[in-house]
Amino acid sequence: MGFCFTLDIIIKVCYHYPMAKVILRYGKIEDDMAKAYCLNGKKLTERASQETDMVFVNQQIKEYRKLWDELGNDKIFSAIEGMTSKPFPNLNVVVNIVWAARVTTAYSMMIPVTHDPDGFVITLSHELMHLSGGIFTPEFKEKYKDETLEARVHIVINAMTEYLWRDVLNKPEYIDIHKERCKKNNAVNHIRAWEIVDEVGYKKIIDTYLI
């Protein structure tokens, strides 16, 4: 693939500047917010009304950390920077593991504790692509102008995660797991984005439509 490493990235590698890193923690404030949201929205009311099981939360965080480190934090961020041709925007990516959240959010980075370790890696790596700073080309916007905004965004996000999972982490099974998750949740725009990625090819999308 024709990834371009900018001067910032070359300097970072040559002079051993720090790579971005994931900081895993239990987010008490975020958990309380998620519980309030779920209760007000009548969603996940059973979990939202429960006391957070901190023994379980801490054990999950330990398992998440173990797998993330085994797969390689620096390898993951290096691959992301190679695709976007720019350094990752944040050196410290704080990931709040919460008890009651129904969905994951990238910009406050809340991930439900209900994921198994592989599910956590799938979820986090997907959300990191949202934060990566990748910019679509004008040609991409024109070609897919009739797709919804959510679908357009996820065409590139899914292509990036496929490259990461298939070529960097050697975890191609993550692709099918994510597709099944999209179907289960009736995430129609995500499903549509995967259809386009499968049709066009993830390498071509990254090479052609990311600035």
Side-chain angles (χ1 to χ4, degrees):
M1 298 175 69
F3 296 159
C4 173
F5 288 87
T6 63
L7 181 60
D8 287 340
I9 297 173
I10 294 170
I11 291 173
K12 177 183 286 189
V13 173
C14 292
Y15 291 92
H16 306 290
Y17 283 17
M19 191 69 70
K21 63 181 179 180
V22 165
I23 299 172
L24 281 176
R25 70 180 189 184
Y26 166 66
K28 177 65 169 65
I29 293 174
E30 290 78 10
D31 197 19
D32 288 343
M33 291 172 58
K35 287 181 178 180
Y37 173 82
C38 292
L39 288 170
N40 290 335
K42 309 299 182 184
K43 297 174 181 177
L44 281 185
T45 52
E46 182 178 352
R47 285 187 67 80
S49 60
Q50 295 171 351
E51 287 292 322
T52 298
D53 183 344
M54 287 305 304
V55 173
F56 180 70
V57 169
N58 288 329
Q59 182 59 37
Q60 288 291 85
I61 290 175
K62 181 179 178 181
E63 294 299 318
Y64 296 163
R65 179 86 266 168
K66 179 182 177 183
L67 181 57
W68 187 260
D69 289 344
E70 286 175 356
L71 293 173
N73 178 87
D74 287 2
K75 180 166 66 174
I76 291 167
F77 280 105
S78 179
I80 295 172
E81 292 183 349
M83 285 185 279
T84 62
S85 302
K86 55 176 65 71
F88 197 82
N90 303 315
L91 274 179
N92 295 316
V93 181
V94 177
V95 180
N96 297 290
I97 305 301
V98 297
W99 181 257
R102 184 179 69 90
V103 295
T104 301
T105 60
Y107 298 99
S108 61
M109 197 55 84
M110 293 191 298
I111 297 181
V113 75
T114 48
H115 290 297
D116 64 15
D118 284 311
F120 165 78
V121 171
I122 290 169
T123 301
L124 177 55
S125 52
H126 176 97
E127 299 306 330
L128 289 176
M129 300 308 174
H130 282 288
L131 301 177
S132 66
I135 301 173
F136 309 151
T137 64
E139 292 80 8
F140 173 85
K141 295 176 183 177
E142 175 62 26
K143 183 175 179 64
Y144 296 107
K145 63 183 179 181
D146 294 331
E147 303 290 343
T148 67
L149 175 61
E150 186 177 17
R152 289 201 304 272
V153 168
H154 283 92
I155 292 168
V156 175
I157 296 297
N158 290 350
M160 292 172 72
T161 51
E162 179 163 356
Y163 168 71
L164 177 68
W165 297 336
R166 185 184 298 281
D167 296 349
V168 178
L169 301 183
N170 194 28
K171 290 280 190 178
E173 65 272 21
Y174 283 3
I175 300 164
D176 288 334
I177 292 172
H178 190 263
K179 288 179 179 179
E180 286 303 313
R181 184 190 292 179
C182 293
K183 291 178 182 176
K184 181 179 179 181
N185 294 326
N186 195 30
V188 293
N189 290 305
H190 292 242
I191 294 169
R192 174 59 181 154
W194 272 121
E195 291 172 349
I196 293 171
V197 171
D198 290 342
E199 177 184 344
V200 177
Y202 66 99
K203 292 182 180 180
K204 182 176 181 180
I205 290 171
I206 295 169
D207 284 342
T208 307
Y209 297 129
L210 268 181
I211 297 175

